[in-house]
Every structure is written in structure tokens, then in C-alpha cells.
């Protein structure tokens, strides 16, 4: 596996553990809709929470969450709509981003950004 893929997998594993410790129930990981994948689909109370995880080694090129730009948000919105319709869900849906900065074996910085607008 390429180093960037390993880092991404590590970040998603950390984000999953982080959410579980906060009381979220993880429903699915890496759900695919065409070429777009939803990293984590979880439940907090009665709310479905879709989480995009962005992991970077450092902030040299900006904060990880900055990679979730307008085009990416539109793609994610489409994938989320597909998930909700295909599972016939009729509950509140929220989109979050978990930003992770660090390297495998280090203690990373984790930031949970809740209720991000998808435009």
C-alpha cells in the first residue's frame, strides 16, 4: 500500500475510534457511490452523521479540512443523497469533517468540525 493510502487508513481508524469514544455508533465505513466514497457513516442520537476524514502529515500546505472544497462538497452531497435514498432514511442528516495532523506512531492533532455546509 502506498504511504499516502496508509496515512489515510490510519486517519480513518483514528477518527472511528474518536467518534466511538464520544458515543457515536459507527454504521458503515467507506460506503461507495460511484467514484465517491463516504468515509464514515455514524449515528449520534437520532441524527445520521456523515464524516469526511482528512489526514495530513503537517500543515505545510494548509489545514486538512481545506481540501474539502466546493467541488468535493458537491460530490459528497450527491453521495449522501444517494445513501439516504437507497436506505430510505427519514431522519436528520449532518455532515462533519474530522481533521487529523500527524504521522503513524505519533500523537496526532484531531479536530472535529460539526455541521459543515454542503452548499
Amino acid at each position: 500500500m502506498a504511504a499516502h493510502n496508509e496515512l489515510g487508513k490510519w486517519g480513518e481508524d483514528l477518527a472511528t475510534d474518536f467518534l466511538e469514544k464520544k458515543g457515536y455508533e459507527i454504521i458503515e465505513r467507506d460506503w461507495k457511490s460511484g467514484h465517491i466514497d463516504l468515509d464514515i457513516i455514524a449515528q449520534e442520537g437520532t441524527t445520521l452523521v456523515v464524516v469526511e476524514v482528512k489526514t495530513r502529515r503537517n500543515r505545510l500546505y494548509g489545514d486538512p479540512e481545506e481540501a474539502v472544497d466546493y467541488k468535493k462538497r458537491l460530490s459528497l452531497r450527491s453521495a449522501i443523497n444517494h445513501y439516504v435514498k437507497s436506505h430510505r432514511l427519514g431522519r436528520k442528516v449532518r455532515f462533519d469533517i474530522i481533521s487529523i495532523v500527524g504521522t503513524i506512531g505519533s500523537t496526532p492533532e484531531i479536530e472535529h468540525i460539526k455541521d459543515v455546509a454542503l452548499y
Side-chain angles (χ1 to χ4, degrees):
M1 183 181 289
H4 72 279
N5 289 338
E6 286 180 23
L7 186 70
K9 169 85 170 77
W10 174 72
E12 286 185 23
D13 290 345
L14 283 173
T16 298
D17 291 344
F18 175 87
L19 291 169
E20 287 177 332
K21 287 176 184 168
K22 296 286 185 184
Y24 289 70
E25 176 189 348
I26 305 303
I27 298 170
E28 295 195 49
R29 288 183 59 179
D30 297 319
W31 187 84
K32 305 258 187 270
S33 174
H35 296 288
I36 302 298
D37 72 312
L38 302 178
D39 293 337
I40 300 172
I41 300 168
Q43 186 166 322
E44 181 187 36
T46 59
T47 302
L48 185 76
V49 183
V50 179
V51 182
E52 177 72 7
V53 181
K54 288 296 175 192
T55 308
R56 299 291 183 265
R57 287 179 175 78
N58 54 52
R59 287 191 167 79
L60 192 60
Y61 298 104
D63 293 326
E65 65 271 16
E66 292 173 3
V68 187
D69 60 11
Y70 179 76
K71 185 177 176 183
K72 176 74 172 178
R73 290 178 196 214
L74 289 178
S75 297
L76 287 167
R77 183 173 69 183
S78 176
I80 292 167
N81 285 337
H82 181 203
Y83 183 86
V84 168
K85 288 178 183 176
S86 68
H87 289 77
R88 296 186 174 144
L89 301 175
R91 64 183 125 162
K92 182 180 178 194
V93 179
R94 188 178 83 213
F95 175 67
D96 294 358
I97 298 173
I98 292 186
S99 168
I100 299 174
V101 178
T103 56
I104 298 171
S106 71
T107 301
E109 297 174 40
I110 301 175
E111 182 179 4
H112 185 185
I113 306 160
K114 296 182 179 182
D115 206 14
V116 177
L118 286 171
Y119 301 100

